Amino acid sequence: MLVLLFQYTIPVVMLLCGVGSFVSVRKHLLSSLLSLEFIMLSVFWVMSLSIVTLGGDNFFVLFFLTLAACEGALGLALLVSVVRSHGNDNFNSFSALQC
């Protein structure tokens, strides 16, 4: 029972660290994207642990992993387009009034 509790403690701590990093560090777009990927990794870990514990199939976990990879690719494409248009990825250099 203690081992099962320890298995769920690490991903939850990872999730809280990722959310804390995402909320507190808002200077660069790349650090925000890395925090989102860290959150996705911890959610993937929790989902795979719970599905394996319940004895279910891993197809849903693979589908979630595919969506997380697509989200990462979309975030990197957005980062490249922002760096090409603005020259850096600082949130302070963005203006909502510019097109």
Side-chain angles (χ1 to χ4, degrees), residues 5-92:
L5 181 66
F6 183 68
Q7 284 180 347
Y8 283 109
T9 305
I10 294 173
V12 169
V13 169
M14 280 177 56
L15 180 71
L16 292 175
C17 289
V19 169
S21 170
F22 182 70
V23 170
S24 66
V25 180
R26 289 184 268 171
K27 188 173 182 181
H28 294 282
L29 181 62
L30 182 61
S31 62
S32 299
L33 290 174
L34 284 173
S35 299
L36 284 175
E37 287 299 319
F38 194 69
I39 291 169
M40 286 295 172
L41 180 66
S42 64
V43 169
F44 170 72
W45 193 1
V46 167
M47 282 177 46
S48 55
L49 278 176
S50 10
I51 287 178
V52 165
T53 303
L54 294 174
D57 289 330
N58 288 332
F59 296 118
F60 184 70
V61 176
L62 292 177
F63 180 71
F64 179 77
L65 189 62
T66 304
L67 289 179
C70 292
E71 178 256 337
L74 184 66
L76 286 177
L78 180 67
L79 178 69
V80 167
S81 69
V82 163
V83 167
R84 284 187 179 181
S85 65
H86 293 295
N88 57 12
D89 67 335
N90 286 336
F91 283 128
N92 294 334

